[in-house]
Amino acid sequence: YDYYEPRIAGQFYLRPLEYELELAYATDNRRPFSMQFDYEWRAQPFSTMRQHELEAGWNWRAGQRLELGYALELENRTNDHGFTSLTGTEQALFARRDVATLANTFETVYSISTKMGLRLRTRHYRSVVQNHEYFQLQTDGTTGNPVQVSRNYDQNYNAFTIDCIFRWIFLPGSELSAAWKSQAYLSDRFIHGNYTENLLKSWKNQSHSLSLKVLYYFDVNTIFVPVTN
């Protein structure tokens, strides 16, 4: 009984039984070069839903100061059932859909000294939802028979983010950090564009922010000196 998927208090979705198989492999991360791999396969024995999910990456310490990393996330679900929208009658509209997700993450860490470092992280996330049939969620948690809708609920979502953080431990327990962040998002119904096209379109909606944070640790005993007789 899934009470979160319908987005309506008191309603639930009767989620079908699933089988899952997972294979994972990782090398020793204490070595200069390490890598990891994780694959998951899911299936519903009483439906045609299938899911393949892959997470892979590597990490390389190039000397004492520089560290490079890359992570890949892939997910492909076919004939999945899930929430799409709320109708005017306050009913949850579900869809039989295909969902494809791709995320690329690059990260660079440079240690200027033992107390000072710089971290740069770049990530592009894309998720595409292509709907095939629509259903009204029933009171017993099932989806019932297909219904007709008058609009397109397909979704193409992109998020491109850059995080650059400088950190300096200037005293024991005290640090200064400065962060510059760039964010770009794209959400539309055009699901057939290629990877490069979506990435370029995402860059057109950029926003930037700069923040500064200082944490200072002090011992109260250095301020309030006890009086002795």
Side-chain angles (χ1 to χ4, degrees):
Y1 293 84
D2 189 338
Y3 288 92
Y4 297 96
E5 190 69 16
R7 274 70 160 180
I8 300 176
Q11 294 191 19
F12 62 90
Y13 170 53
L14 191 59
R15 190 170 292 280
L17 172 71
E18 290 186 359
Y19 294 127
E20 177 181 333
L21 172 67
E22 181 177 2
L23 300 174
Y25 173 78
T27 61
D28 189 350
N29 57 14
R30 294 172 297 179
R31 296 183 178 275
F33 183 84
S34 61
M35 59 184 298
Q36 56 277 343
F37 170 89
D38 189 287
Y39 170 76
E40 289 186 15
W41 172 83
R42 293 183 182 180
Q44 294 175 355
F46 304 109
S47 76
T48 57
M49 195 285 286
R50 298 292 184 271
Q51 176 177 331
H52 302 272
E53 186 174 349
L54 171 67
E55 294 183 7
W58 54 262
N59 193 77
W60 177 40
R61 292 195 304 273
Q64 298 296 323
R65 298 179 181 271
L66 182 62
E67 186 173 338
L68 304 173
Y70 169 73
L72 171 68
E73 300 172 53
L74 287 171
E75 183 180 333
N76 185 40
R77 280 180 284 162
T78 57
N79 293 321
D80 177 50
H81 284 69
F83 175 85
T84 297
S85 180
L86 292 176
T87 63
T89 57
E90 290 301 314
Q91 284 187 303
L93 183 67
F94 274 51
R96 181 178 64 84
R97 62 198 183 179
D98 295 339
V99 182
T101 301
L102 169 63
N104 284 294
T105 304
F106 294 91
E107 188 167 14
T108 302
V109 179
Y110 184 76
S111 299
I112 302 173
S113 67
T114 57
K115 300 180 179 180
M116 191 181 302
L118 187 66
R119 179 184 298 269
L120 177 64
R121 182 177 183 268
T122 303
R123 185 174 189 262
H124 179 223
Y125 171 91
R126 186 193 182 195
S127 182
V128 176
V129 179
Q130 184 176 13
N131 299 305
H132 302 293
E133 290 182 304
Y134 298 93
F135 309 86
Q136 292 285 3
L137 184 65
Q138 307 299 304
T139 56
D140 62 354
T142 61
T143 52
N145 297 319
V147 297
Q148 298 295 322
V149 298
S150 58
R151 58 168 294 185
N152 176 20
Y153 287 99
D154 293 345
Q155 186 175 22
N156 173 41
Y157 177 77
N158 287 262
F160 182 81
T161 58
I162 301 175
D163 297 283
C164 184
I165 301 175
F166 169 79
R167 183 169 177 260
W168 174 33
I169 303 176
F170 56 89
L171 286 174
S174 303
E175 68 176 63
L176 179 147
S177 60
W180 173 76
K181 296 188 176 184
S182 177
Q183 302 173 335
Y185 300 101
L186 171 68
S187 182
D188 59 21
R189 307 294 179 187
F190 184 67
I191 64 174
H192 298 292
N194 58 39
Y195 183 86
T196 304
E197 181 180 356
N198 277 271
L199 181 60
L200 294 176
K201 288 171 65 177
S202 301
W203 284 347
K204 296 180 181 179
N205 304 309
Q206 293 187 42
S207 63
H208 308 279
S209 64
L210 182 64
S211 62
L212 182 66
K213 181 173 69 174
V214 178
L215 298 177
Y216 185 78
Y217 170 81
F218 61 90
D219 188 351
V220 295
N221 292 324
T222 62
I223 301 177
F224 302 102
V225 180
V227 178
T228 58
N229 295 326

